[in-house]
Amino acid sequence: MPSPALTLVPDADAPSSTASVDLAARIWALPTRTLLDDLGPIADARVLLVEDVLGGAVDLTPGAYDLVHARFQLSRFGRPAEQLAALRSLVAPGGVLLVEEPDLRTWTFEPHAPATTHLIGRLAQAFSAAGGDLDAGRRLPSRLRAAGLEPRVRTHAIGLETGHPYLRLPLDLATTLAGPLADVLGHDGLDHLRRSATTELLEPRRRGTTFTLVQAWARVER
């Protein structure tokens, strides 16, 4: 059996499943689809998407899948070595492990938005306090190499024009993680920070750049 670190039922302290949904907006559908198309069709492929699996018919037999695609799992749950080992164990010989995680370094706003930038830092702290790593993409290739794999890597950061709904992602995550944030900032402090960030993001000239989506994949040989 694979390691229990493969989180099919979220840990109680982990960022909620809604946080994963917020991160995994439709904006990332095209980069993911393009990569999957470039990997080429696999006849009768057995595919597992580990994005927000809360139970159900998931085969945990070692080597059960030709492609295991894990999105934002290390950022939510941490324990990268254990999780990658568990995910790798589900890949059949010759199959592919694909992992997608965020790298926060490009997550910026124009003009500069100090309150929103501060909120992003606090969100990263909330993920870290719960055992996750909102910046997991930065170390993803080295994590896969440490697991004995030879990853290939693509990165994507998307420019957001005025009015783009994904500009609001820090506010959406702050709503999802209001409890942990209030534990650190206090309810008044969190309310003030959210109001300030909202004011910044509603400015008519507001533009931004997403975090970088790091896609790392490797063929698994036994």
Side-chain angles (χ1 to χ4, degrees):
M1 289 291 290
S3 163
L6 179 58
T7 308
L8 299 180
V9 178
D11 296 340
D13 293 334
S16 77
S17 61
T18 309
S20 181
V21 173
D22 290 339
L23 289 170
R26 292 181 182 178
I27 195 171
W28 301 118
L30 180 58
T32 298
R33 174 48 53 193
T34 299
L35 176 54
L36 292 173
D37 288 345
D38 289 347
L39 290 176
I42 305 174
D44 301 319
R46 300 160 296 171
V47 178
L48 174 64
L49 171 60
V50 186
E51 183 174 39
D52 188 25
V53 182
L54 302 181
V58 177
D59 187 352
L60 296 181
T61 304
Y65 298 95
D66 301 297
L67 171 65
V68 173
H69 174 198
R71 175 184 281 172
F72 303 137
Q73 295 302 292
L74 305 186
S75 54
R76 281 186 63 201
F77 301 113
R79 308 193 310 276
E82 296 173 69
Q83 285 214 75
L84 290 174
L87 292 165
R88 177 179 178 170
S89 74
L90 297 179
V91 182
V96 173
L97 172 61
L98 165 61
V99 185
E100 295 179 312
E101 296 291 344
D103 178 338
L104 300 185
R105 286 176 289 184
T106 57
W107 200 358
T108 55
F109 299 88
E110 300 175 16
H112 180 53
T116 309
T117 301
H118 181 59
L119 178 58
I120 291 171
R122 291 297 191 176
L123 289 167
Q125 289 179 349
F127 270 73
S128 179
D133 180 5
L134 191 54
D135 206 23
R138 187 183 304 198
R139 290 166 287 278
L140 181 57
S142 62
R143 300 284 194 193
L144 287 167
R145 285 190 288 269
L149 299 171
E150 298 182 5
R152 300 179 63 184
V153 179
R154 288 183 184 177
T155 59
H156 302 270
I158 300 173
L160 305 174
E161 294 301 322
T162 300
H164 196 291
Y166 210 55
L167 285 168
R168 289 185 50 86
L169 179 60
L171 298 175
D172 294 338
L173 287 172
T175 297
T176 300
L177 300 174
L181 289 171
D183 289 342
V184 175
L185 299 171
H187 291 286
D188 291 344
L190 175 58
D191 288 345
H192 175 73
L193 183 56
R194 291 169 67 176
R195 285 196 302 271
S196 298
T198 299
T199 299
E200 291 177 344
L201 294 176
L202 288 176
E203 291 177 1
R205 297 181 297 121
R206 178 63 58 204
R207 303 186 309 279
T209 303
T210 65
F211 59 75
T212 295
L213 178 71
V214 179
Q215 300 173 309
W217 69 98
R219 196 163 297 278
V220 175
E221 306 293 349
R222 291 292 192 267

